[in-house]
Amino acid sequence: MAQPNGDHNAAAKPPPTPSPLRFSKFFQSNMRILVTGGAGFIGSHLVDKLMENEKNVIVADNYFTGSKDNLKKWIGHPRFELIRHDVTEPLLVEVDQIYHLACPASPIFYKYNPVKTIKTNVIGTLNMLGLAKRVGARILLTSTSEVYGDPLIHPQEESYWGNVNPIGVRSCYDEGKRVAETLMFDYHRQHGIEIRIARIFNTYGPRMNIDDGRVVSNFIAQALRINQWLDYTPLS
Ligand SMILES: O=c1ccn([C@@H]2O[C@H](COP(=O)(O)OP(=O)(O)O[C@H]3OC[C@@H](O)[C@H](O)[C@H]3O)[C@@H](O)[C@H]2O)c(=O)[nH]1
């Protein structure tokens, strides 16, 4: 997980002073956490973990690719709130940490409306960084291996700058996440915001849309369909 270090951190200011209540025993055990995109595949598993760890969790999601169904076991829980919200609009909530996952991750969905995808990455991340600055929260961005583009070195080190196409049909996602990372580091250097960035590679597991269009789900879906075909094909 990329954290500010080395020359990235050369001119960072100290983080904004969080509320003194933040450090009392009470608030530590009831830390308030915002998860944008929390109704999605990875976000909903993160919510499960945060809830099991006794946190107060607020999920903001526009249900573009996620579903309330992924969170049904927490709806009505006293430490859980679910808001239908598009992160391209500002959101003002008192929180201690922000996990910013809101973004369509499947090529099928992010290419459906590329302008919206890059708005979510740029304006959505700006809104979440503005909130982090306002309330003194630490913020994590889920980035992606796509920031390396079509890498010329394997495996990619976090220090690798990538080999990217700024005008391709996938650039709304790749470049969107690159700009989001830039904004994260600029808010860290300019305002001292505590940041974390996780560049997620191919993930798969329960709650992933089967027709997600990503490599692993494609492989599994095709394997399942071939099996079904074999089941129905009369043996000659
Ligand atoms: O504009 C949008 C787009 C998407 N979203 C939400 O963001 C969530 C994204 O979850 P998905 O299941 O589509 O995707 P994943 O959980 O696999 O993606 C995760 O890993 C890859 C990262 O690039 C994504 O940012 C992270 O969410 C969904 O709940 C979707 O509804 C918004 O809230 N606003």
Side-chain angles (χ1 to χ4, degrees), residues 8 12 59 70 87 104 121 142 146 158 162 170 194 199 222:
H8 301 311
V59 168
N70 290 334
V87 290
N121 278 313
T142 52
E146 303 297 328
E158 281 186 357
R170 297 171 65 117
E194 276 190 270
R199 289 177 179 163
Q222 285 160 18

Side-chain angles (χ1 to χ4, degrees), residues 36-43 60-67 85-88 100-106 116 120 142-144 173 177 200 203 207-209 212 214:
T36 72
F41 160 44
I42 293 181
D61 201 301
N62 72 354
Y63 307 119
F64 178 48
T65 54
S67 163
H85 179 82
D86 190 311
V87 290
T88 57
H100 178 38
L101 289 83
C103 173
S106 147
K116 177 60 172 65
T120 298
T142 52
S143 185
T144 168
Y173 183 71
K177 287 292 186 180
I200 300 175
T203 48
R207 303 187 199 151
M208 188 174 199
N209 291 325
D212 183 275
R214 284 181 273 184

Side-chain angles (χ1 to χ4, degrees), residues 45-114:
H45 286 284
L46 171 63
V47 169
D48 289 351
K49 184 57 74 180
L50 293 171
M51 289 298 291
E52 286 153 15
N53 290 350
E54 304 289 313
K55 309 297 183 188
N56 285 312
V57 177
I58 301 171
V59 168
D61 201 301
N62 72 354
Y63 307 119
F64 178 48
T65 54
S67 163
K68 287 181 190 174
D69 209 46
N70 290 334
L71 299 166
K72 60 178 181 262
K73 70 177 174 184
W74 301 116
I75 291 172
H77 189 289
R79 286 190 286 102
F80 181 76
E81 288 177 68
L82 179 57
I83 311 169
R84 179 191 292 269
H85 179 82
D86 190 311
V87 290
T88 57
E89 298 297 332
L91 177 64
L92 302 181
V93 285
E94 273 295 326
V95 291
D96 305 298
Q97 291 181 353
I98 301 168
Y99 289 82
H100 178 38
L101 289 83
C103 173
S106 147
I108 295 170
F109 288 96
Y110 69 63
K111 289 195 287 190
Y112 171 76
N113 184 343

